[in-house]
Every structure is written in structure tokens, then in C-alpha cells.
Amino acid sequence: MSQDRDEAAAGPQSAEPARAGDDGALPPGAIPEDTTLPKSKSRWSFARELTVIVVIALVLSFLVKTFLAQPFYIPSASMESTLDIGDRIIVSKFTPQHSPLHRGDVIVFEDPKTWGRTPHHPSLLKRIVKDSLVFVGVLPGGGDHVVKRIIGMPGDHVKCCTKTGKLTVNGVEITEPYINKGSVPSTMPFDITVPPDEVWVMGDNRNDSADSRLHDNNSGGKLGSVPMSDITGQVVAIAWPIDRIHALKSYSNVFAKVPDPK
């Protein structure tokens, strides 16, 4: 009897995976043999899942970039000190597509044809790779895009400068707190009327900004103004570097007393 008990106690500890019978079925309670997939199939499964994840991420990035927001970088000093060189900014696509623009808004727009485009000659491969990544929203845009502040809306009469050296919009003198320290409202006089469906834009670093003033060529606003159709969106925040992350301040109060154009 004692020998039988010893054998019974030892049985479960020495159990081995059971093998299937002739009909392929395992006996009740049997432990199946290792069914691990071959390494080739495991790697293929991982690669397929990774590809699906990457594709989904790119699609989501493209949708966000197309309909919601898009990152851009600041390549010049024309908007200092509101925007510094190297800043990464977030541009809302809701404006002006789904909500109106206002005087004082900072916008990103494509370099207007009337301003003359600066030719870029990167290699074909670099251009394809960069354009593809910008297209899906992985890289921030830049290049042929410009960032400036709206000073005049369609029909506005914008003039500079008064005896005190300030701008007037529809006859009202304005004080501009966003202008870079050491800059003046304008280093060149002008007197323009913004054409329909266009805006008059200026950089905050007025002493170093190739904006509507520089491109107007005494046309009274016809060449220097930016078509609404060229506007990508409104700058809403700085996203990088970390110590500069913040939402852009609204300066609607600067133009609060400006009447609608006649």
C-alpha cells in the first residue's frame, strides 16, 4: 500500500506533455505540446501590425493637418519678439475657413504671386521626402509660407504715419503694443485701401519685415495685400521650445475703436 501511494504522489510531478493518438485527439487533461509559431511567421505578424499602426498614425496626422491644425516653424526675425526664429507654431485651420479673421490676428499664408516667389532648388529626392512628410503633417511647414499680423481687413483704409509716428486704420490712430522693442510703426510712408477679399499684413519687427509695404510698389494696396484664398490659417500658439509654450495673445482691443470701412 505504501508503495502505491508513493507512485501516485510522484505521478503529477513527472507528467509530460501528452501526444495525440492516432485520431489526432488528446486524452482528457493532457498538456499539449509546444505550439509556438515559427520565427518567420512571428516576424511577419509583427511587421504587419507595425505597418498598420504606422499607416493609421499617418492617416490621423493627415486628417488633423488638413482639417484642424498644422505645425509650422519660424525661419526669420520678421515677427520678433512675438515669434522668434526656430519657434514651432500651431496654426488653426478653422480660420478663415469656418470662422472670421480679425484685425490683429497673426496668420500664415502662401507667398502671394504678386510678391514674387523665391526659387528653391533642393534635390528631387529631398524635395519628395520633405513634401511628403509635410503633406501628412509629420514635419512642420515653412518654405513658401509667410507669417504676419493682419492690420487691414477688406475695404480698410490704412495709412502711415501721423505726426506722432503711428498708423491709422479708417481714420483712427492706433497704438500697437505688439511691435518689437526698438521698432517704429513703419519706416516708410504709405496710404492704401485694402482690395475686396484681401488683407493688409505687417510683421511685428517693423524694421526688418518684408511685408505688404515692401511688395506694394505704390499700387495703393493692390499688389501688397494678401488674397484670403492664400491664407492657411491663424496662429494660435507656440508649441516649441518648452520655455516658450503659450497661446498667442489677442489684440482685438487695439482695433476696438476702428469703424467699419465706408
Side-chain angles (χ1 to χ4, degrees), residues 17-232:
R19 292 177 173 78
D22 295 338
D23 58 355
L26 294 175
I31 302 174
E33 293 183 345
D34 186 13
T35 56
T36 303
L37 292 174
K39 287 186 177 180
S40 60
K41 289 185 178 180
S42 179
R43 290 173 182 172
W44 165 244
S45 178
F46 172 76
R48 183 175 58 187
E49 291 178 2
L50 181 61
T51 301
V52 171
I53 292 172
V54 170
V55 169
I56 291 175
L58 290 176
V59 170
L60 290 175
S61 178
F62 171 75
L63 292 175
V64 170
K65 173 251 181 184
T66 302
F67 300 105
L68 298 178
Q70 181 177 1
F72 284 84
Y73 69 90
I74 302 300
S76 73
S78 67
M79 282 296 293
E80 289 181 343
S81 58
T82 302
L83 302 173
D84 291 343
I85 296 175
D87 281 352
R88 264 53 175 179
I89 57 176
I90 300 299
V91 176
S92 169
K93 292 296 189 72
F94 279 94
T95 310
Q97 288 85 347
H98 304 289
S99 61
L101 290 167
H102 304 89
R103 303 180 191 96
D105 289 345
V106 178
I107 59 170
V108 167
F109 54 93
E110 293 184 20
D111 201 350
K113 294 179 181 179
T114 56
W115 285 22
R117 297 179 182 274
T118 302
H120 301 281
H121 302 287
S123 67
L124 179 61
L125 178 59
K126 287 183 178 180
R127 189 167 67 250
I128 291 175
V129 172
K130 182 179 179 180
D131 289 349
S132 298
L133 294 177
V134 170
F135 178 74
V136 298
V138 174
L139 284 183
D144 293 332
H145 286 78
V146 185
V147 57
K148 304 292 180 189
R149 189 181 298 275
I150 295 177
I151 302 300
M153 294 295 291
D156 280 348
H157 178 209
V158 187
K159 184 178 179 179
C160 194
C161 301
T162 65
K163 292 181 179 180
T164 57
K166 295 182 179 181
L167 294 178
T168 61
V169 181
N170 298 336
V172 175
E173 186 178 275
I174 60 173
T175 300
E176 303 176 276
Y178 41 74
I179 292 180
N180 192 33
K181 186 178 180 180
S183 292
V184 295
S186 183
T187 56
M188 62 180 73
F190 62 90
D191 186 347
I192 66 95
T193 299
V194 186
D197 299 319
E198 300 190 12
V199 293
W200 182 264
V201 298
M202 300 174 71
D204 288 355
N205 190 6
R206 298 286 168 81
N207 295 358
D208 187 18
S209 176
D211 49 39
S212 290
R213 299 168 297 166
L214 186 67
H215 297 282
D216 197 52
N217 295 325
N218 296 317
S219 69
K222 294 179 181 178
L223 298 178
S225 298
V226 176
M228 289 278 198
S229 57
D230 287 344
I231 298 175
T232 302

